[in-house]
């Protein structure tokens, strides 16, 4: 049974940081979309600001929802570390910075 704990822990140590990085990428994408929409709204003559306000508001709500998801995933990460300690006696001093194959969080920003 200890092998099962080890295999499960190894899979989670890859999956959790990957999920964190993907949510961060989505937050960045929403910020870029917001920039483009607001820039376009101001750049197109004759389009009143009120036309794009609902869109800007929806993007802001979507981005805040992603921020909430990010917080939930961080809490899940902490929960899983605690479960690992309690269940398998894993002493995880530091979680891996990134999942294998996933770009580093700062490397995502280009």
């Amino acid at each position: 049974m200890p092998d099962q704990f080890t295999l499960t822990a190894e899979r989670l140590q890859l999956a959790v940081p990957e999920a964190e990085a993907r949510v961060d990428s989505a937050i960045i994408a929403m910020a870029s979309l917001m920039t483009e929409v607001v820039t376009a709204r101001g750049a197109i003559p004759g389009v009143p600001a009120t036309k794009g306000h609902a869109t800007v508001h929806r993007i802001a709500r979507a981005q805040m929802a992603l921020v909430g998801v990010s917080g939930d995933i961080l809490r899940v990460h902490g929960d899983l570390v605690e479960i690992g300690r309690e269940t398998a006696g894993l002493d995880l001093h530091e979680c891996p910075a990134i999942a294998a194959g996933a770009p580093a969080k700062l490397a995502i920003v280009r």
Side-chain angles (χ1 to χ4, degrees):
M1 196 67 158
D3 287 336
Q4 184 62 35
F5 287 128
T6 302
L7 292 173
T8 301
E10 288 173 359
R11 285 196 314 269
L12 288 169
Q13 286 174 342
L14 296 174
V16 173
E18 182 179 346
E20 291 168 345
R22 287 179 185 229
V23 172
D24 285 349
S25 292
I27 292 169
I28 292 166
M30 292 304 293
S32 296
L33 178 59
M34 177 71 84
T35 299
E36 293 300 327
V37 167
V38 173
T39 301
R41 183 175 70 169
I44 300 172
V47 176
T50 56
K51 281 288 186 190
H53 181 73
T55 301
V56 169
H57 192 252
R58 284 185 189 102
I59 294 169
R61 280 197 328 244
Q63 191 168 21
M64 285 306 299
L66 288 169
V67 170
V69 168
S70 177
D72 287 340
I73 290 175
L74 292 172
R75 284 186 283 283
V76 164
H77 193 151
D79 292 345
L80 291 172
V81 168
E82 187 61 31
I83 290 168
R85 284 188 188 125
E86 291 174 359
T87 306
L90 297 175
D91 188 16
L92 304 172
H93 298 289
E94 261 186 52
C95 294
I98 58 169
K105 289 183 181 184
L106 292 179
I108 294 170
V109 182
R110 295 197 172 131

